[in-house]
Structures are given as structure tokens and as C-alpha cells.
Amino acid sequence: MEILKGIGVSPGIAICPAIILEAEDYRIPQRFVVRKQVRAEIQRLRQAFLDAIEEVSQMQGTQAEIWDSRIKDIFAVHLHFLRDRSLRKKIADLISENFYTAEYAVSHILRDIAKHFSQADDAYISERVHDIYDIEKRLLRHLIGKRQEEISNFSEPMVIISQDLTPTQTASFNQHYVKGLATDAGGRTSHTAIVARSLGIPAVVGLGKITQTVASGDRVIIDGTQGTIIINPDESTIDDYKAMAEEMVEHETALGELASLDAKTTDGTKIDLLGNIEFPHEADITLKKGGDGIGLYRTEFLYLDIDHEPTEEDHFQAYKATIENFGDHPITIRTLDLGADKFTHYGHNIRERNPFLGLRSIRYCLQHLHLFKTQIRAILRASVFGNIKIMFPLITNIMELRQAKWIVEDVKEDLEEEGIDFDHTMQIGVMIETPAAALIADHLANEVDFFSIGTNDLTQYTLAVDRVNERVASLYTPAHPAVLNLIRQTIQCAHRAKIDISLCGEMASDVEYAPLLIGLGLRTLSLSPPMIPEVKKVIRSISLDECNAIARRAMEFDTSKQTINYLREEIRKIQDAEA
Ligand code: PEP
Ligand code: MG
């Protein structure tokens, strides 16, 4: 039994056999399967060779007329290698003798061959090194691709272990069988973590070396609440965790009774708790958990299918479907925040050195007006069906906001000319998620109807800490006095300008921060829907005066550690008093 500690990003417990999902972009490390999986691993290898042969043969068939003889030569060499039975046998032997994964065995043998070729005196042979790397990549692509397919068609419960996962991969997992996720990389507010939470899959990230410690087929406990992984647990540990999982279910059921009650402090101050949603189906979960509306409708899910650019109708139908369940409850649709760790735009494959500082989000939209206008048209068309607001992400200067608003005006004119109805009074707001926006909040407040503070990015940009990098995860905290000061200042600006303000970063999903945020003046929080009952429970157990006192005290500390310890202690007192 081995225990690893990481960052728990999606609560819950999973106890299942592990499957390792490699990533093509990484060098394949030495990894093992359990003895009883060796045959299946060799079968995977065989299939990858057959698929690669078929792929190259098909290319030869369809492209032969346009290829010159040099290209034909290259593909003939590839086929020669792929059909070489002794090569396949050598790799299979490595799997059966050492219990290596097929991916590692392929990579190991082909890199060995490449090394020998590169040392050859014969120029023809040494140039073949690139072909060997190409063949390695092709085989790995088939192995990894098949595994991904297998995972989506799997009919047994499992947990997925990977170096990293993209939000697209995470979103494609079948929740019935994928019971937990654990990755080497990642941070608390990485988009993959947010997707895992929204799917309700327990997840631990930032483990550093989980993929080197677990073998495919090992039994693993993922405790997403504590951020712990237990590899090959003994029976008594499994029993303990099963009991804990049952307790969690009971606790959730008890919290379910709060759904129909208001989130009011003990002196009657109403706090609106809204849901952050990633996918339309979460709108229902928000209502079931007792949410008062949607405070952040992330719309990047429309780009999950990278082979297809979403049309205006795709946008419109997705928004309309969500709105219809919500009556008069407010729904804030955030315009596309593509790029960095989120889904990238279809056809957009330019790698940037610093994607979080690059052409992402509103910047991307303002440079791709067709895409932006398509979404805005759909939002405006949907606005007649409910109480819709529009929100722009990653604003850093007033000109960006003005440009975005001009485009909304432009689209409104087009719709009017076409005789298409929309809500003429639809509110427009911005996310305050960069220090620049927080520092010019006074100016921004004059030109919008509301603010929503995005602490996930605000923390990353204020502290210069990448939100997805596990190596600096310990530095990433919204409890840093610099972040708290920017939050306080933004709230004060909104109050002075008499505009609405909410907070929709993951900080709002963390019960420990609820009294502080209310004490700082917030009356609307938008959070991960499964966390609504927990936060509601805290709010219903505390008075506004207590929140104000907690905020005053919390703002006095000069280290985030003191602040966190203090807030934790206060929550513990509230929970003890309730028990
Ligand atoms: C944020 O940055 O706090 C936020 C809510 O947006 P996202 O996590 O989607 O970047
Ligand atoms: Mg953000």
C-alpha cells in the first residue's frame, strides 16, 4: 500500500482499478501493467501495428498519384518496419518479460533502434532515424487513441491516471464508468479540475509522480476531498473508505433538505447563490441544489467538437435549452473565453509561448469578429426567453470593453433590420479577473451594469502564479493579501457606482471564504452547483455582524497562511456549534 498526497480538486471517493492514459506530447516513461494484463497489453500492441499498417497503406492508395518517388520511398520504409514480425515480437517479449505497458515497450525498442541508426556511418541509414521516430509516434498515437476510445466505451468502473488531461478529454469521459481521476500535473483552478467538479468525478491533481507509481490494473482509492491517493490499499483501508463514502452520501442527502430554503444569514440578510455551469445539463443540477440562477455560464463547451465550428444555431439552441428551465431566474452568459487552459478554437493551432498572456478570451474574440458576432447574435436571440445578461471575460482596458459593446450594438442593429426580436434592456457586465481591471474598476463601473470577480484568474495574474502548474501550486491562493485587497477595492467601486457585483471564482465554492466575502460586502456568490448546499448551510448559521467582524480581522493579516488558518478556525466554530 502506498499513499500519495496531491491537490484535491473534486470531492468524493472512488475505489477502482486504474487505467493509465498516456499523452502523446510527453516522452513515455517506464510503466508497468499487472501480470494478468500482459496478454491484453500484447493484443493492444498487435492492434496498433495493424491499424498503423492500414493507415499507411490507405495513404499510399489515395495519395500515390501526387507523391514523388522520394515520398513513396519513405512510406515503403514505414510499411517495411511495421510489417516486420521480428520487430513486433521483440516489443511483445519486452512486455511479457518485464510487464511493461505497450506504450513504453514501443518507445523503448524504437528509440533503441533509432540510436543505433544514428551512429551508423552510412548516411542513408543514419537519415532513417527520423522515420523511426515517425513510426514510434504513429504507433503511440494508435495505442493512446484506442485507449481513449476504450475508456469512452468501457463498461466497468475504473479510475484514470494520467500525466495531464485536457478539458476536452475530461469532458468526454463516461461518468458511469470513470469514477475518479488523478494526474501528475495541474492546479486547483485548472480548467480540467473545474470540468471534473462539474461532472461530479472525484479528482486529485498535482501528484507529481502518480503515473510512475501506479500500474494499469492496480486497485486505487482516490479521495478527492482530502487530495489523497492510496495505491493497492489493504482490506481494512478499503473498508474505512467505503464507510467514509457512505457517510458522504448521507451528509449530502441531509444537505438536500436545504434546497428549498433561502440562503439567509441569521439576521435575515439574503445572499443569492448562483451556479457556475460548464455544460447545459448542469442548469438542472443548479436548480436541484437550490441555486437562484446561473452566475457564470461558461460557453467554451461548444468547442468540444474540434471538427466542427459551432454555428449560430448551435449557440442559440444551447442557450435556449438552459433558459427554458429557469423562468425569471437570472442567467449570465459569458462570451467565449477560448485559449490558455480552456478548449482552443477550432482550427486555431498556433502554439504560444505564454498562452495565459496571449491571444485568448476577449482578445481572441475581438480579432475574430465573425466568431464573436455569431455568439452575440445567438445570445441576443435567446434573450427573449428569459432573464439573460451578457458578460465579457479578461477585460484589461476600457477600449476592449467599448469595442465589445459596439459589437453588441452592431449586432442589435442587424437584428432589428431583420425584424428579429431580442431583449433591448439586456444587461452587460465584465469579469474583474485581472489586476488591471480591478485597478480601473472605477472607470469600468461607469460603463457596465455589473461586475463579477473571477478570482481564479485574478489570483494567477496578481501573484504571477500559473493556475495549472502543480510546481507552484503552494503559492496559488486567493487568501494572499494582494488578492484580497483587489477584491475589496472592486466591491467598493461597484457599491460607489451602484452597480451589481458578484464573485464567480472557485473561491466562492469554498465554505471557508463565505463569511469573509459577505463581510467584504458581497451579496451574490456564483459557485460550483454541488457546493451550493454546503455554502448555504454556513450562511444560515452566521449573522451579518459576525461576517463583518471576520472580514475586518482577516484583512489585517500579512500572510495568506494566517488568513487561511483564521478562516478555517471560524468555520470550525460555526460547524461545531451546529453539530
Ligand atoms: C475566473 O477566472 O475566476 C473564472 C471564473 O473564470 P475561469 O475559471 O473560467 O477562467
Ligand atoms: Mg477566468
Side-chain angles (χ1 to χ4, degrees):
M1 177 160 114
E2 191 167 354
I3 301 176
L4 297 181
K5 193 86 190 120
I7 309 165
V9 292
S10 179
I13 290 171
I15 310 172
C16 291
I19 279 209
I20 296 190
L21 183 62
E22 300 287 359
E24 282 166 60
D25 297 346
Y26 293 89
R27 173 107 194 240
I28 305 290
Q30 191 180 75
R31 285 204 226 290
F32 303 93
V33 290
V34 292
R35 181 191 289 268
K36 66 174 193 255
Q37 282 210 338
V38 164
R39 272 180 64 173
E41 210 58 13
I42 293 175
Q43 178 52 30
R44 288 181 67 224
L45 173 77
R46 188 168 166 271
Q47 193 57 49
F49 266 91
L50 293 177
D51 291 345
I53 290 170
E54 192 186 326
E55 186 181 50
V56 177
S57 308
Q58 262 184 14
M59 283 163 78
Q60 266 192 332
T62 54
Q63 308 281 51
E65 282 166 26
I66 52 171
W67 282 350
D68 70 16
S69 60
R70 260 181 54 83
I71 300 180
K72 281 183 189 156
D73 253 13
I74 292 172
F75 281 89
V77 169
H78 283 207
L79 271 183
H80 172 78
F81 269 97
L82 290 168
R83 286 184 175 138
D84 179 352
R85 282 178 181 274
S86 67
L87 172 67
R88 199 191 309 169
K89 180 165 184 316
K90 213 166 159 183
I91 301 174
D93 286 349
L94 202 64
I95 296 173
S96 52
E97 282 158 23
N98 300 288
F99 303 170
Y100 288 145
T101 59
E103 285 89 345
Y104 177 70
V106 162
S107 194
H108 182 81
I109 296 280
L110 286 168
R111 278 170 187 249
D112 211 32
I113 297 174
K115 193 164 136 208
H116 279 98
F117 275 29
S118 67
Q119 288 161 353
D121 290 336
D122 183 328
Y124 177 81
I125 294 189
S126 64
E127 272 169 25
R128 298 268 81 89
V129 166
H130 299 292
D131 293 314
I132 303 293
Y133 284 136
D134 243 20
I135 294 165
E136 180 203 0
K137 260 201 159 327
R138 191 181 298 282
L139 286 169
L140 288 178
R141 193 157 36 74
H142 282 289
L143 280 168
I144 295 166
K146 267 268 152 47
R147 175 119 288 174
Q148 177 95 42
E149 245 174 62
E150 256 170 51
I151 286 171
S152 32
N153 297 322
F154 229 67
S155 54
E156 301 280 331
M158 71 189 131
V159 297
I160 293 178
I161 311 287
S162 184
Q163 277 161 321
D164 204 359
L165 290 167
T166 64
T168 319
Q169 280 176 313
T170 312
S172 70
F173 295 144
N174 179 340
Q175 291 144 267
H176 291 299
Y177 301 112
V178 175
K179 297 292 181 194
L181 308 173
T183 60
D184 289 337
R188 188 173 299 282
T189 64
S190 60
H191 205 59
T192 301
I194 292 171
V195 173
R197 214 164 17 250
S198 78
L199 295 175
I201 303 177
V204 180
V205 304
L207 285 150
K209 55 174 182 131
I210 177 91
T211 54
Q212 284 160 46
T213 322
V214 173
S216 263
D218 274 346
R219 201 169 200 197
V220 168
I221 297 177
I222 295 187
D223 178 350
T225 312
Q226 299 296 327
T228 309
I229 303 292
I230 304 172
I231 303 159
N232 293 322
D234 54 37
E235 285 308 317
S236 86
T237 309
I238 292 177
D239 288 346
D240 289 349
Y241 271 88
K242 279 188 178 159
M244 269 157 66
E246 270 170 33
E247 262 174 45
M248 278 184 189
V249 173
E250 277 167 26
H251 178 65
E252 272 219 2
T253 317
L255 284 177
E257 289 165 13
L258 291 175
S260 57
L261 303 176
D262 275 343
K264 266 190 190 151
T265 56
T266 52
D267 49 288
T269 307
K270 169 89 167 70
I271 309 297
D272 285 327
L273 295 182
L274 313 176
N276 288 349
I277 66 168
E278 287 287 313
F279 305 104
H281 77 269
E282 288 173 277
D284 278 353
I285 304 176
T286 307
L287 285 176
K288 277 197 196 108
K289 295 282 176 185
D292 301 303
I294 303 292
L296 171 64
Y297 187 169
R298 293 184 170 102
T299 54
E300 296 76 41
F301 73 91
L302 287 153
Y303 283 77
L304 262 178
D305 178 0
I306 51 163
D307 297 328
H308 160 72
E309 170 99 42
T311 60
E312 180 182 321
E313 207 50 30
D314 293 332
H315 281 276
F316 173 71
Q317 291 301 341
Y319 307 148
K320 186 164 169 270
T322 312
I323 296 159
E324 277 172 346
N325 293 326
F326 265 81
D328 283 341
H329 293 294
I331 295 183
T332 301
I333 302 183
R334 180 178 70 184
T335 58
L336 290 163
D337 194 25
L338 296 167
D341 75 324
K342 302 217 177 69
F343 309 102
T344 44
H345 172 218
Y346 160 79
H348 171 82
N349 52 10
I350 299 167
R351 283 196 184 243
E352 294 179 311
R353 266 186 287 266
N354 286 308
F356 276 108
L357 305 182
L359 188 62
R360 60 168 292 216
S361 194
I362 192 74
R363 303 169 182 179
Y364 188 86
C365 288
L366 292 176
Q367 285 197 25
H368 295 81
L369 288 185
H370 174 69
L371 164 143
F372 196 34
K373 282 187 166 181
T374 301
Q375 179 175 36
I376 289 175
R377 266 182 75 95
I379 296 175
L380 280 164
R381 279 176 55 204
S383 65
V384 291
F385 296 98
N387 178 5
I388 298 268
K389 305 174 190 195
I390 192 168
M391 175 161 80
F392 303 125
L394 207 79
I395 293 290
T396 54
N397 66 65
I398 204 108
M399 282 315 294
E400 272 167 347
L401 168 62
R402 287 185 189 152
Q403 265 178 285
K405 285 177 65 180
W406 287 331
I407 287 156
V408 173
E409 285 311 307
D410 235 28
V411 173
K412 281 184 179 176
E413 271 176 33
D414 290 348
L415 290 174
E416 261 169 11
E417 273 170 28
E418 292 167 44
I420 298 174
D421 200 13
F422 59 88
D423 173 7
H424 291 252
T425 61
M426 185 179 70
Q427 291 195 3
I428 294 184
V430 285
M431 291 193 69
I432 303 293
E433 55 178 347
T434 62
L439 293 167
I440 58 162
D442 263 333
H443 300 288
L444 291 170
N446 293 330
E447 307 199 15
V448 292
D449 300 304
F450 66 93
F451 285 161
S452 186
I453 306 176
T455 46
N456 304 340
D457 277 315
L458 186 62
T459 303
Q460 133 165 292
Y461 292 122
T462 306
L463 306 181
V465 177
D466 182 344
R467 66 191 261 190
V468 302
N469 185 341
E470 70 286 358
R471 293 195 289 173
V472 287
S474 62
L475 298 173
Y476 181 94
T477 169
H480 189 293
V483 181
L484 293 181
N485 274 311
L486 289 175
I487 294 174
R488 177 169 59 183
Q489 186 177 324
T490 305
I491 297 170
Q492 288 168 349
C493 286
H495 287 171
R496 271 197 300 275
K498 297 193 171 32
I499 62 166
D500 288 343
I501 177 147
S502 63
L503 186 144
C504 64
E506 289 305 305
M507 188 182 190
S509 306
D510 194 335
V511 282
E512 289 158 8
Y513 290 115
L516 165 65
L517 296 176
I518 295 168
L520 287 177
L522 286 169
R523 297 294 176 263
T524 307
L525 301 176
S526 189
L527 54 153
S528 173
M531 293 308 294
I532 291 175
E534 291 275 1
V535 174
K536 194 182 267 189
K537 187 157 193 267
V538 167
I539 293 171
R540 292 177 59 85
S541 322
I542 195 166
S543 71
L544 190 57
D545 281 348
E546 286 168 313
C547 291
N548 291 342
I550 289 175
R552 265 195 308 276
R553 180 79 186 108
M555 296 304 285
E556 285 168 7
F557 298 115
D558 50 14
T559 71
S560 49
K561 192 124 201 93
Q562 286 168 300
T563 314
I564 290 168
N565 286 343
Y566 168 69
L567 295 176
R568 234 168 241 168
E569 186 52 32
E570 291 302 308
I571 284 293
R572 207 182 50 74
K573 282 190 219 159
I574 296 169
Q575 286 168 341
D576 285 352
E578 279 288 298

